[in-house]
Amino acid sequence: METGIAISFWILAAVMVASALAVVWLRDIFRAALFLVLCFFSVAGVFVILGADFLAAAQVLIYVGAIAVLIIFAIMLTRETQRGSPSGRFRFIAFLVGLLFLVTVTLVVVSTDWHAITEIPAEPTTSSLAQALFSGESGFVLPFEIAAVLLLAAIIGAIVLVRER
Amino acid sequence: MGVLEQFQHWLLGYWPSWAAYLVPAIVAFLVLSSFILLVVMAFIYIERRGVGRFQVRLGPNRAGPLGILQPVADAIKVLVKEDIIPSRGDRRIHWLAPIIAFMPALAIFAVIPFGPRAIFTDINIGILYIIAISSLGVIGVFMAGWASGNKYSLVSALRTVAQLISYEIPLMLSIAGVLIISGSLSMVSIVEAQSIPFILLQPLGFLIFFVAATAELNRTPFDLLEAESEIVAGYHTEYSGMKFSLFYLAEYTHAFAISAIVATLFLSGWKGPFLPPALWLMIKVFLVFIVLFWARSTLPRLRVDQLMGFAWKGLFPLALLNLFITAAEAIIWPGFPWQLLILNLLIAALLIVLWSGLFRVAGERVSFHRYGRGIAKGMALTFRHLFRRPITVQYPEQRLTPAPRFRGNLLVWDEERCNGCRACARACPVSIIDIETKKGDKGLIVETLEIDFGRCLFCGLCVEACPVAALFMSRDYEQASYFRESLVVKKEQFIAAEKRPSAYAYPDLEAEMPPQTLLAPPKEKG
């Protein structure tokens, strides 16, 4: 059990890091997007190993099924992608933003108190997740509802925008 | 606990842990994929024969008894074909795409319950897993469309993604109604919760799910991504051989998976009296699949803008309303008594009629008369075709009789009557009749007669010119040859040939002709 999980974790971790590097380094933007899909998928694999099946499914559904597909869609609608990603005028600014992001992330990673949880993950995750989200005082009913209404408004807005006159 | 876990636990007693995890997975994969292959072959056979019957044809019936070996023949044919990779395409992505397209369809079956305990793994997020996994298939189609380096394939890939993203939303929302009633995401608990099949409690949800699932499957009337008349074969235009067969397999595996999901979510899965559970599930799966291709052989394809409009303005609001109504019912009548099904049926009918009335198609308000009754009439018509005699002609065994004055592909020469006058040779506008005569006891004897049918116009002037009624057009309508020379027909062949004269230029022969069956004019009523 333990060795199996360890093996799969290291495989997933290696795939994740390698595909993340490929996203950055590949000149062919379509392949980069595909490696992004692979990266998201291996993150979902790590969630599965951690016993967070709901999170894994949500990861695949949202990141692979929606975001990555949207990125690929955008690539297909873009002109002259065959030449690879061109170096734009914003090189310097992009470098600055990237550096800023790196510094922030590093700071967060270093300052976080990483402690391993010893308790066994909850077995049927859905019910405990629902408890945590919707139960009484400590729940997140209001943010959940607000997010839902926001999404609904966005969808209805999109439909209104494209409706025939 | 699923079969897989039981096997795993049993193995753990004997083998090291890594093997106990790996071996059941591999065994499960092999068992499942061979079972799926069998079902897919059955699907392909049933669909090809079934669509044939819906269209008053016979369908493939030559390979094996009743054509039952047709899928095998198809598979062999496809496997020996040359594998072509377009030179402008992306070789590696082109290679990977069919695999990515096939994998999710297969992975769905890990959580489909074939019986109370016959499920590979009963994860508690079963239906969410299915939705997540099936959203992966689109990436395979995408990769195929992009890597083909072909604009039709790219257009098809774009259409696919637009369509799949749009129809995924009503699909998920319609499942939500089922989840509210069953109170679980696990496929096993969903089946166990169905004392009444959810199709009765959720008629609207079922309809939305079925339509959206048909769109997810890219089957007619939603098969825009391979609309043959517009974009060749869509994303798999540039695929052949093994890779094409993988796409084909993926399509039918997905159809199987969706049918199984419909059966599980709405038709109470494995439940049913007398028969074993797995058999009940398969019966339901085949029923759903038959309805799928029944719709396919009846309804015409949608236009792109209609397709998107239908998803966003038709299905999506209805699915939202359905979710809302189900949630309200869950609060008012938490036990979901059976009386609710009447109410839900009424609500569904009312909502569909009212909602569709808000739309216009081609400047005309959508009416029940045209789109409700119309579709029902169409479906009834194709259903009635099942009981009609197919119009297919089993050609080499079964031949049709042409029109009485048919000008066939050979001439019939009556050597008894011919007096060697050579009127036919003179009449021929292309001078292909070669006739030599010598003097005999009673007039002329034909020594050589050669007619080059490779150049014959079938104008019939030779027949008309014959003064002694020795030359006729023939009723035969098949002629093929590997050699140009063999189209030159000689005297001996004319004598040896079976004489089937047509009534061309000899109307009095018409009476004894068999009635015309090839392209026969419609019989007058009365």
Side-chain angles (χ1 to χ4, degrees):
Chain A
M1 179 104 189
E2 291 302 317
T3 42
I5 283 188
I7 293 170
S8 17
F9 171 76
W10 285 109
I11 292 174
L12 281 172
V15 169
M16 203 194 310
V17 172
S19 53
L21 288 177
V23 173
V24 182
W25 275 331
L26 277 181
R27 297 293 289 180
D28 185 338
I29 196 164
F30 189 77
R31 287 188 179 189
L34 290 181
F35 272 108
L36 192 66
V37 171
L38 186 61
C39 185
F40 287 152
F41 206 69
S42 33
V43 172
V46 171
F47 286 150
V48 170
I49 289 177
L50 292 175
D53 47 7
F54 191 86
L55 202 57
Q59 165 84 14
V60 173
L61 192 59
I62 295 165
Y63 283 90
V64 180
I67 292 184
V69 167
L70 216 60
I71 289 175
I72 299 176
F73 200 53
I75 292 171
M76 285 196 174
L77 290 175
T78 313
R79 275 197 203 179
E80 296 176 13
T81 46
Q82 304 286 5
R83 274 192 243 148
S85 49
S87 49
R89 287 170 292 152
F90 302 109
R91 255 179 158 177
F92 183 66
I93 303 167
F95 176 73
L96 274 188
V97 173
L99 199 67
L100 199 67
F101 180 71
L102 184 69
V103 168
T104 323
V105 168
T106 316
L107 275 179
V108 171
V109 166
V110 169
S111 61
T112 309
D113 175 26
W114 298 97
H115 61 95
I117 295 171
T118 47
E119 57 191 285
I120 303 157
E123 197 22 65
T125 42
T126 39
S127 53
S128 42
L129 205 66
Q131 283 289 328
L133 261 179
F134 303 121
S135 68
E137 293 300 308
S138 60
F140 297 90
V141 178
L142 189 64
F144 181 83
E145 292 294 332
I146 290 174
V149 170
L150 184 70
L151 285 175
L152 183 64
I155 290 177
I156 292 174
I159 296 172
V160 169
L161 278 180
V162 298
R163 80 172 198 283
E164 287 169 52
R165 270 165 203 90
Chain B
M1 189 185 284
V3 183
L4 205 58
E5 279 103 335
Q6 288 170 9
F7 188 35
Q8 222 163 50
H9 276 273
W10 181 77
L11 272 185
L12 271 174
Y14 302 91
W15 285 359
S17 62
W18 62 269
Y21 273 85
L22 206 60
V23 170
I26 292 171
V27 170
F29 175 75
L30 290 179
V31 170
L32 200 60
S33 43
S34 33
F35 174 66
I36 289 170
L37 266 182
L38 270 179
V39 175
V40 161
M41 279 177 141
F43 267 21
I44 292 174
Y45 174 71
I46 291 176
E47 172 158 22
R48 292 193 60 183
R49 290 303 299 265
V51 168
R53 291 310 305 270
F54 278 128
Q55 298 170 346
V56 216
R57 294 183 290 117
L58 269 180
N61 64 344
R62 288 302 169 106
L66 291 170
I68 212 144
L69 294 178
Q70 186 64 39
V72 183
D74 280 349
I76 294 171
K77 181 197 79 177
V78 126
L79 289 186
V80 297
K81 277 193 171 178
E82 188 191 355
D83 183 29
I84 299 165
I85 301 168
S87 60
R88 297 279 300 277
D90 190 328
R91 180 173 283 268
R92 284 188 196 155
I93 298 180
H94 190 267
W95 181 83
L96 203 61
I99 301 170
I100 303 274
F102 180 55
M103 187 202 68
L106 200 63
I108 289 175
F109 285 94
V111 296
I112 301 275
F114 287 92
R117 294 168 70 77
I119 177 170
F120 279 105
T121 173
D122 178 24
I123 53 179
N124 71 72
I125 51 155
I127 190 68
L128 197 66
Y129 165 84
I130 288 175
I131 297 172
I133 285 290
S134 54
S135 67
L136 281 179
V138 58
I139 292 176
V141 175
F142 241 159
M143 289 163 72
W146 175 269
S148 292
N150 171 332
K151 52 181 170 290
Y152 296 117
S153 301
L154 195 63
V155 167
S156 153
L158 285 170
R159 280 185 181 186
T160 312
V161 80
Q163 178 176 336
L164 291 193
I165 286 180
S166 311
Y167 279 86
E168 210 155 75
I169 295 166
L171 188 83
M172 281 193 253
L173 285 175
S174 59
I175 291 177
V178 169
L179 298 183
I180 287 176
I181 303 180
S182 69
S184 171
L185 289 169
S186 146
M187 297 293 270
V188 173
S189 334
I190 289 174
V191 176
E192 275 163 0
Q194 297 185 54
S195 47
I196 330 165
F198 284 162
I199 182 176
L200 298 173
L201 277 177
Q202 283 279 309
L204 187 59
F206 169 75
L207 275 180
I208 295 168
F209 184 85
F210 197 78
V211 171
T214 316
E216 289 272 299
L217 278 175
N218 302 313
R219 294 189 78 91
T220 327
F222 302 103
D223 66 337
L224 284 151
L225 80 168
E226 40 186 303
E228 300 89 345
S229 48
E230 301 163 25
I231 47 174
V232 197
Y235 64 93
H236 55 56
T237 306
E238 302 288 355
Y239 279 86
S240 63
M242 186 67 203
K243 291 185 206 153
F244 172 78
S245 70
L246 258 183
F247 273 121
Y248 199 66
L249 206 62
E251 192 189 320
Y252 279 90
T253 311
H254 205 173
F256 178 21
I258 291 279
S259 310
I261 295 167
V262 171
T264 308
L265 291 184
F266 292 99
L267 304 176
S268 71
W270 72 73
K271 282 186 176 178
F274 310 126
L275 296 173
L279 195 61
W280 264 114
L281 184 82
M282 289 317 290
I283 289 173
K284 287 168 185 172
V285 163
F286 275 95
L287 276 180
V288 173
F289 183 69
I290 286 171
V291 175
L292 264 179
F293 74 74
W294 180 15
R296 179 193 144 164
S297 49
T298 307
L299 303 172
R301 188 181 293 137
L302 268 77
R303 224 169 51 205
V304 176
D305 55 327
Q306 291 170 341
L307 180 89
M308 301 300 283
F310 183 55
W312 287 105
K313 293 184 277 186
L315 289 182
F316 170 65
L318 275 182
L320 265 186
L321 281 174
N322 180 53
L323 178 61
F324 179 76
I325 290 167
T326 315
E329 282 170 355
I331 294 169
I332 305 169
W333 301 286
F336 286 97
W338 65 269
Q339 287 90 340
L340 260 185
L341 63 95
I342 302 164
L343 178 70
N344 277 353
L345 215 59
L346 284 177
I347 291 176
L350 198 70
L351 272 181
I352 290 172
V353 170
L354 285 183
W355 197 264
S356 55
L358 293 178
F359 295 99
R360 284 171 175 283
V361 173
E364 186 193 336
R365 196 168 281 280
V366 172
S367 62
F368 176 74
H369 182 75
R370 183 145 183 191
Y371 289 90
R373 223 183 57 141
I375 288 176
K377 267 170 87 177
M379 299 287 278
L381 180 76
T382 39
F383 186 73
R384 278 203 304 277
H385 283 172
L386 289 182
F387 306 104
R388 267 179 61 180
R389 232 181 92 223
I391 55 163
T392 309
V393 178
Q394 301 277 72
Y395 167 61
E397 294 94 34
Q398 185 190 351
R399 280 152 203 265
L400 295 176
T401 320
R405 300 188 198 178
F406 187 71
R407 283 188 260 181
N409 54 7
L410 274 178
L411 292 170
V412 174
W413 180 56
D414 191 339
E415 70 274 12
E416 308 280 305
R417 285 196 207 160
C418 183
N419 63 359
C421 69
R422 303 180 57 191
C424 47
R426 280 194 300 276
C428 183
V430 281
S431 308
I432 55 166
I433 301 181
D434 192 4
I435 183 163
E436 277 175 28
T437 51
K438 65 171 186 190
K439 280 227 172 85
D441 306 336
K442 298 181 280 176
L444 297 168
I445 296 172
V446 177
E447 266 202 324
T448 53
L449 172 66
E450 281 185 13
I451 304 182
D452 181 2
F453 283 100
R455 283 169 54 212
C456 181
L457 303 172
F458 304 98
C459 60
L461 286 180
C462 47
V463 177
E464 288 174 33
C466 188
V468 289
L471 207 54
F472 303 87
M473 298 303 290
S474 126
R475 290 208 310 275
D476 291 333
Y477 50 83
E478 50 208 351
Q479 184 170 38
S481 162
Y482 286 105
F483 305 102
R484 179 69 182 77
E485 302 87 69
S486 53
L487 290 173
V488 180
V489 179
K490 301 201 170 62
K491 179 185 163 191
E492 294 73 35
Q493 288 165 280
F494 276 115
I495 295 171
E498 199 189 334
K499 297 206 162 59
R500 293 165 11 98
S502 105
Y504 176 74
Y506 297 98
D508 42 323
L509 278 180
E510 228 171 277
E512 55 203 70
M513 293 280 157
Q516 177 184 0
T517 44
L518 177 76
L519 301 174
K523 278 184 200 133
E524 278 174 37
K525 279 179 189 169

